[in-house]
Amino acid sequence: MQLFLSGETFRYECENLCRLFFPYSPVKVEEPGAPLVEGPRAFASIEKEDGPYHYRVEVTDGAKTLVREDFSPDLQEYTMTNLLYRSFVELTGTTPAWGMLTGIHPVKLLRQYVEERGEEAGTAYFQEHCHVSAPKADLALRVLRGQTPAVEALGENDCSLYVSIPFCPTRCAYCSFVSQDVEHAKKLVDPYFSLLLVELEKTAQVIQGLGLSLISVYIGGGTPTTLSAGQLSALCGKIRQEFDLSRCGEFTVEAGRPDTITQEKLEALREAGITRISINPQSLSDQVLRNIGRRHTVQDVEDAFALARRLGFQNINADLIVGLPGDSVEGFQHSLEGVLQMGASNVTVHSLALKRSARLNAPGGDLSLHSKSQETAAMMDYSIARLTQAGMEPYYLYRQTRMAGNLENTGWSFPGGECRYNIYTMDESNSVIACGAGAVSKLKDPYSGRLERIFNFKNPYEYITRNQEILDRKDGVTRLYEQFRQRLR
């Protein structure tokens, strides 16, 4: 897709709206007068005339063309994006359920409106101003209510710890995360693990030096249970040894792929005092699992759940994905009923999001599922109704680009079983200090709301070969917190 911009146009916002309506047509921003190519196009311009600013949009899908205009006394992002959004809706006949929102954190935006206007007026403004459908506005409000107690309980020195294990038994066809197929990266696991323990030592020193209080720990990936039972025990033990966990109310490990779960590993996690695990089937259809490159079976999922519950794990999350290739509404319903019957206390429902690096996006990949937006939406609608009926409430929500049906990812739990780490990282309401390859520390200034990021190297090989740089970057956490506190003085 070509996007032509002229004048003081809001490039980033206009690009995102193009992707919203044409998610699988890469957007190329052109200078006025550039050669036209076949496919959808959009022209957006802002001109200052004698009086108001003149906003003009022309959009075409190759067969139909629309021209729309607006005027405003001020140069405003919203005037431009609202005009472009409404033009795309008219051109395509598609009204996205989340309206013109393209960001990751819609509930965070709703929180802002509610704090400014009150719950009723803020929600109405969120729905009208952003063109959000009534069901999605209601879902966002339920999430906001569900996460508010956890957010309001935060102290200014509270923080969370994230630990990345970027290895998986195989790479799923939809995956774009920086995770390595452990069969091909086996020689990296041991040196990576050793250096990760060193980074954890450094991080503990930084947290202690700043007087921060650790309130949640999350070990994710990748698939942390690609590690051996001994490594899992050593990792959890290292965290307990180095960090003060006296105020830490939860310690989560993503067991993830059922084909990596063994009794020995779960016993190691139980003995380490892990309070929450994830067993993530994604689907309870053997054929769908084969379609996405998973080696485990439905029986493996059932066995893993039974084993975990027999060993005493009560807080178990299960991930499911709507929109997987070869799945159906009935198939998804079967999967959801299945994880509820197995005893999942948390269920996270994801919409399939295909990034450019995913195998399904490669030549020959199966993109036909993205034409099934109504079917995908029906799966999501069913999950909302069924999980509500089961007594669960939504407590965190986020969105990604190129999501099937332009939907959302939502975490559900029974009251009191919410994963606070998930709330904090999606609401961006406290600092998350992260260790490992691909990890991003997000530092929240408790006095201004400012958010700063410190990135680790993404690739495990680079993490290993340049590890001293990773350790040096941890000193950046100290420097930023000192800046936060200096402004307070």
Side-chain angles (χ1 to χ4, degrees), residues 223-236:
T223 305
T225 43
T226 53
L227 298 178
S228 68
Q231 287 172 323
L232 287 170
S233 180
L235 175 60
C236 296

Side-chain angles (χ1 to χ4, degrees), residues 217 219 236 239-240 245 248-253 272-276:
V217 177
I219 302 177
C236 296
I239 292 171
R240 290 198 173 277
L245 301 185
C248 184
E250 62 179 26
F251 196 142
T252 298
V253 174
I274 301 307
T275 60
R276 180 178 182 273

Side-chain angles (χ1 to χ4, degrees), residues 411-479:
W412 296 75
S413 77
F414 293 111
E418 301 85 359
C419 175
R420 292 200 167 199
Y421 171 83
N422 285 333
I423 292 174
Y424 298 147
T425 193
M426 291 306 161
D427 188 65
E428 297 181 327
S429 48
N430 88 330
S431 291
V432 176
I433 301 177
C435 298
V440 181
S441 294
K442 297 180 181 181
L443 307 180
K444 176 70 178 290
D445 181 351
Y447 314 112
S448 72
R450 171 185 167 201
L451 194 72
E452 296 286 349
R453 290 173 171 83
I454 297 176
F455 296 84
N456 280 7
F457 296 118
K458 290 184 177 181
N459 188 282
Y461 176 77
E462 199 171 14
Y463 178 89
I464 293 167
T465 57
R466 301 175 65 180
N467 192 257
Q468 186 58 48
E469 294 177 58
I470 296 288
L471 300 181
D472 293 341
R473 290 181 187 185
K474 282 292 178 288
D475 291 326
V477 175
T478 300
R479 288 192 294 271

Side-chain angles (χ1 to χ4, degrees), residues 167-241:
F167 304 105
C168 284
T170 59
R171 188 176 179 87
C172 295
Y174 54 78
C175 183
S176 64
F177 288 112
V178 183
S179 57
Q180 301 287 310
D181 181 332
V182 75
E183 292 181 0
H184 296 94
K186 192 172 183 178
K187 64 181 180 181
L188 299 178
V189 175
D190 287 345
Y192 176 87
F193 183 77
S194 297
L195 291 171
L196 178 63
L197 298 184
V198 175
E199 187 186 2
L200 285 166
E201 289 180 9
K202 173 72 173 183
T203 302
Q205 294 168 8
V206 168
I207 287 178
Q208 182 178 10
L210 289 169
L212 301 181
S213 183
L214 197 60
I215 57 173
S216 68
V217 177
Y218 195 103
I219 302 177
T223 305
T225 43
T226 53
L227 298 178
S228 68
Q231 287 172 323
L232 287 170
S233 180
L235 175 60
C236 296
K238 186 69 171 179
I239 292 171
R240 290 198 173 277
Q241 172 189 329

Side-chain angles (χ1 to χ4, degrees), residues 61-74:
D61 58 6
K64 179 182 178 182
T65 300
L66 295 174
V67 177
R68 297 293 180 263
E69 297 176 297
D70 201 352
F71 296 87
S72 173
D74 303 309

Side-chain angles (χ1 to χ4, degrees), residues 36-37 44 58 84 115 130 169 195 200 230 258 264 269 271 288 292 346 348 384 389 391 415 429 436 438 445 470:
L36 303 181
V37 298
E58 179 180 329
L84 184 58
E115 289 175 350
C130 303
L195 291 171
L200 285 166
E264 186 181 16
L269 296 180
E271 291 167 6
V288 172
I292 62 176
N346 287 208
T348 307
I384 295 170
Q389 182 189 50
S429 48
D445 181 351
I470 296 288

Side-chain angles (χ1 to χ4, degrees), residues 82 108 124 129 139 160 236 277 285 292 305 308 312 329 362 381 391 411 489:
N82 187 48
K108 187 178 178 182
H129 184 74
L139 177 63
S160 299
C236 296
I277 63 172
S285 161
I292 62 176
F305 258 94
V329 174
D381 290 344
R489 301 189 191 102

Side-chain angles (χ1 to χ4, degrees), residues 247-279:
R247 291 193 62 238
C248 184
E250 62 179 26
F251 196 142
T252 298
V253 174
E254 279 191 4
R257 300 274 287 266
D259 46 334
T260 66
I261 295 173
T262 66
Q263 181 167 334
E264 186 181 16
K265 291 179 184 180
L266 288 182
E267 287 175 342
L269 296 180
R270 183 192 61 189
E271 291 167 6
I274 301 307
T275 60
R276 180 178 182 273
I277 63 172
S278 293
I279 300 174

